[in-house]
Amino acid sequence: MRKILLLLIASSMMVPAGTFAQRKKSFSPKKASASSSSSRESTLRNQLSNALRQAQGGQYEAAANALFSLSRRPELADERAQIKYILGTMLIELKLYQTAAFQFVDVIRMKNPKYSKLAIEKLSIVADTLGDDTILNYAISRVDLNDFPSNLKDMIHFRLGEISLRNRDFTKASDLFSRVGSGSSYYYQALFNKGLAEMEGSQPAVAVGTFNKMLDARRRAPVTDTNKVAAQLGLARALYQKQDWEGSIEAYAQVPRDTVLWHDAVFEQSWAMLRAARFRSALSNFQTLHSAYYEDFYMPESLLLRSIVYLYICKYDEMEKVLSLFEKTYGPVRSKIGDFLKSTSDAASFYAEVEKANSMKISEKGSGLRLPYIVSRNVLDQGDVKRSMNYLEKLNQEKRRVEANSAFRASPLGQYALKIIANRGRNTKFAIGDMVKAHLLNMRVELRDLYEQAGFIRYEMITGRKESIKKKIAGKDLGAEQIDENIDRQFYIQNGYEYYPFKGEYWLDEVGNYHYLGKQSCE
């Protein structure tokens, strides 16, 4: 890549001289004016030659400043596409990607037969680095995909696949992800996304094969390898969608504890256990999910799932406690979300709320927030918000690079870069604010539905209690015998369980290994 750039600059150094020479021959016949113009052109030619020489010599900052100044000269209108293209490559070398993107967009708009295509290729690289779909879409819309150089096609296929997946065109997304070569740095992410597209397209059996292929390719990676763990969770979800409950439970169990995906795996495994009628195993999971360690997690569905499990095993007293906990926890959450939505209208305020939560230290979580901390945290974990926050952080990094160099910051190019970054940052914050509002509206609807479900579950609880009382009156009451009470604890230890009769406490290191002891009922 560096060789190509040097060749391009070297060839560029020859172009201005010829252009100026041709222009000099057709210039005004007035002697004084011609002399002045010739002197000015000679100066510009020297400046341009020096800038290109600096670029070739690796003096990117000096070259970029000179090229930026020359790109604004009307006398160099014919060379502007060439100057801006090389300026953009200098800015990439300085890691000022957002500022570079604007140069390439300008070149593309000029429709220069030589530099427009080169600018599109560079713009696609910059957009990939920034994670900016808007720029990438612009670049791709300007050229035939087959015209991209082979070394960029994996990246283009991957990014186009992401866009198709977000647009819910799952067949196209799967096809695009499958075109990413195994030697590409995008390969594993593409394979994972292909599995997601297959699941979204109601092809769980195909997705199982895709995730197994990914797991096989990463079999020698460490246990906590990100791609390996993601593939494991994807496999578990595909098996669940395929209604292979036991296979799914086993796959979820393979997600290692020391990863951020473990909590999701435990919750989803509980659903699989419910579907497989493994109620006591599901209850063991809830000791983990509802421990104090995870009190900052937004998971109303988990409490309702727990109450449903209690309903299945006719533990009405426990069910009552869980439903009360659901109402006590999420009643205020629902009210605060509603109040926030009613009192807030501008996108900047929505962004400010989650930005405050994002920068908050653990010791001060929740203080000064208008929304409950668990709500802000949940919104920040949403894919679109997380992606935009990452983009915003890249803009901030670029701003810090400019500000760290006082001479560059004071230069016209430095001021221009700060203006671009400020505008992009402001627009991105507005966009994030709109995303936050949309997620809060969804959460409010979700909580309304969950409250409705809680009402149905409570109705079932009351009905179950009535039936239980009827049995007692009829003399069909069940004894107080505990499930498994005749089995020695060694049975559980030998089968991989730690054995703790629950007394309202837990050991953090042991959460997830707790084996529930319940009383028989309902049969």
Side-chain angles (χ1 to χ4, degrees):
M1 179 63 74
R2 182 176 167 78
K3 282 183 179 177
I4 295 172
L5 178 61
L6 292 176
L7 282 171
L8 186 62
I9 292 172
S11 63
S12 299
M13 291 177 71
M14 297 183 286
V15 176
T19 307
F20 280 116
Q22 289 169 5
R23 197 180 292 168
K24 188 175 179 180
K25 289 176 184 175
S26 60
F27 222 62
S28 170
K30 292 184 179 180
K31 190 174 180 181
S33 176
S35 174
S36 172
S37 177
S38 175
S39 173
R40 189 165 58 249
E41 289 178 3
S42 175
T43 302
L44 289 174
R45 185 170 63 248
N46 287 335
Q47 288 176 355
L48 187 53
S49 295
N50 286 336
L52 296 174
R53 200 171 292 113
Q54 287 170 328
Q56 195 175 22
Q59 300 176 56
Y60 304 128
E61 185 180 318
N65 271 312
L67 290 168
F68 179 70
S69 175
L70 292 169
S71 71
R72 296 182 161 191
R73 296 300 297 258
E75 300 90 335
L76 299 178
D78 291 345
E79 292 79 20
R80 189 163 293 146
Q82 173 195 14
I83 294 172
K84 276 187 164 286
Y85 174 76
I86 298 174
L87 170 60
T89 60
M90 295 297 97
L91 291 168
I92 289 178
E93 295 291 345
L94 294 169
K95 299 187 186 306
L96 302 180
Y97 301 108
Q98 186 60 66
T99 314
F102 274 62
Q103 309 311 311
F104 297 130
V105 169
D106 283 348
V107 175
I108 294 166
R109 284 175 177 162
M110 291 174 198
K111 298 181 179 177
N112 183 287
K114 181 177 180 182
Y115 290 99
S116 286
K117 186 179 174 184
L118 294 171
I120 289 168
E121 293 171 11
K122 280 286 192 293
L123 186 64
S124 62
I125 295 171
V126 168
D128 182 52
T129 305
L130 291 170
D132 188 335
D133 287 347
T134 306
I135 298 176
L136 186 64
N137 281 334
Y138 178 82
I140 292 170
S141 67
R142 296 286 169 154
V143 70
D144 187 334
L145 194 58
N146 295 319
D147 290 340
F148 271 92
S150 57
N151 63 318
L152 293 180
K153 285 189 176 177
D154 284 334
M155 182 271 286
I156 295 296
H157 285 139
F158 175 73
R159 293 299 181 193
L160 285 176
E162 282 191 320
I163 293 168
S164 295
L165 189 58
R166 278 196 286 277
N167 292 335
R168 305 187 66 77
D169 188 347
F170 305 121
T171 303
K172 186 177 179 182
S174 177
D175 176 60
L176 286 163
F177 288 131
S178 66
R179 296 187 191 188
V180 178
S182 59
S184 167
S185 59
Y186 295 92
Y187 178 65
Y188 293 113
Q189 185 64 51
L191 210 52
F192 179 79
N193 286 357
K194 182 174 182 290
L196 285 185
E198 288 160 352
M199 283 203 295
E200 292 277 6
S202 302
Q203 294 181 298
V206 180
V208 167
T210 300
F211 289 123
N212 273 324
K213 180 181 178 182
M214 187 172 169
L215 278 171
D216 188 53
R218 302 296 298 170
R219 65 183 181 281
R220 294 182 180 174
V223 174
T224 55
D225 174 73
T226 303
N227 289 317
K228 191 174 185 176
V229 175
Q232 187 64 44
L233 189 61
L235 175 64
R237 287 170 173 171
L239 288 167
Y240 183 91
Q241 189 177 352
K242 195 168 168 278
Q243 300 190 359
D244 180 355
W245 313 127
E246 293 299 334
S248 174
I249 291 168
E250 178 59 30
Y252 279 122
Q254 300 302 316
V255 175
R257 290 184 181 196
D258 298 332
T259 60
V260 293
L261 296 177
W262 185 62
H263 186 267
D264 288 345
V266 173
F267 170 63
E268 292 171 23
Q269 186 190 44
S270 304
W271 269 112
M273 288 171 169
L274 174 70
R275 301 297 297 270
R278 290 170 57 171
F279 304 123
R280 286 180 296 142
S281 299
L283 287 174
S284 298
N285 280 5
F286 292 127
Q287 306 303 324
T288 298
L289 293 170
H290 301 148
S291 67
Y293 189 75
Y294 292 110
E295 65 181 3
D296 293 334
F297 283 63
Y298 174 86
M299 45 183 184
E301 187 184 346
S302 178
L303 285 172
L304 292 189
L305 175 59
R306 186 173 187 172
S307 68
I308 292 170
V309 173
Y310 281 132
L311 176 66
Y312 271 89
I313 61 173
C314 305
K315 306 300 294 182
Y316 303 119
D317 290 342
E318 296 300 323
M319 195 176 169
E320 174 76 52
K321 291 176 189 173
V322 174
L323 288 174
S324 298
L325 178 61
F326 169 79
E327 290 164 356
K328 181 183 174 183
T329 305
Y330 291 100
V333 168
R334 186 184 177 190
S335 298
K336 288 190 176 181
I337 291 176
D339 292 343
F340 187 82
L341 285 168
K342 283 179 185 173
S343 62
T344 310
S345 57
D346 63 306
S349 298
F350 282 99
Y351 169 76
E353 184 67 12
V354 294
E355 197 279 334
K356 200 186 299 176
N358 189 45
S359 57
M360 202 166 266
K361 295 177 182 175
I362 294 177
S363 58
E364 58 187 24
K365 63 187 177 187
S367 58
L369 292 177
R370 295 169 62 193
L371 286 169
Y373 182 71
I374 58 172
V375 172
S376 298
R377 176 181 174 140
N378 182 267
V379 170
L380 284 165
D381 279 341
Q382 301 303 313
D384 55 348
V385 175
K386 191 181 285 187
R387 188 180 177 89
S388 296
M389 292 294 278
N390 286 337
Y391 171 61
L392 197 57
E393 174 55 25
K394 286 177 181 173
L395 290 180
N396 289 331
Q397 289 172 2
E398 188 163 332
K399 181 183 177 186
R400 289 195 287 272
R401 285 191 197 102
V402 174
E403 292 181 331
N405 185 335
S406 56
F408 184 72
R409 177 182 180 174
S411 69
L413 178 56
Q415 291 296 305
Y416 169 77
L418 288 175
K419 187 177 177 182
I420 286 176
I421 295 166
N423 285 337
R424 294 293 293 172
R426 184 169 53 253
N427 291 336
T428 304
K429 288 176 182 176
F430 287 150
I432 293 174
D434 288 337
M435 293 173 198
V436 172
K437 183 178 181 180
H439 286 300
L440 289 177
L441 288 169
N442 288 338
M443 290 173 83
R444 186 171 66 174
V445 171
E446 180 193 55
L447 281 173
R448 185 193 64 200
D449 293 343
L450 290 175
Y451 260 78
E452 195 172 326
Q453 289 182 37
F456 288 133
I457 295 168
R458 191 177 285 281
Y459 170 79
E460 293 294 337
M461 180 186 73
I462 294 168
T463 304
R465 272 181 167 158
K466 282 171 61 181
E467 292 302 318
S468 178
I469 291 169
K470 284 181 183 176
K471 284 181 181 177
K472 280 185 180 178
I473 294 171
K476 296 179 181 177
D477 188 25
L478 295 166
E481 183 185 9
Q482 277 195 312
I483 291 174
D484 301 336
E485 75 172 3
N486 295 324
I487 299 177
D488 189 83
R489 63 180 294 175
Q490 287 301 322
F491 169 82
Y492 296 107
I493 294 170
Q494 288 165 7
N495 285 279
Y497 285 101
E498 297 290 341
Y499 181 92
Y500 295 101
F502 185 59
K503 293 180 181 176
E505 297 176 351
Y506 68 95
W507 292 94
L508 188 60
D509 292 343
E510 304 299 341
V511 289
N513 280 341
Y514 179 83
H515 188 80
Y516 172 76
L517 288 183
K519 290 184 180 178
Q520 229 179 152
S521 54
C522 261
E523 289 90 349

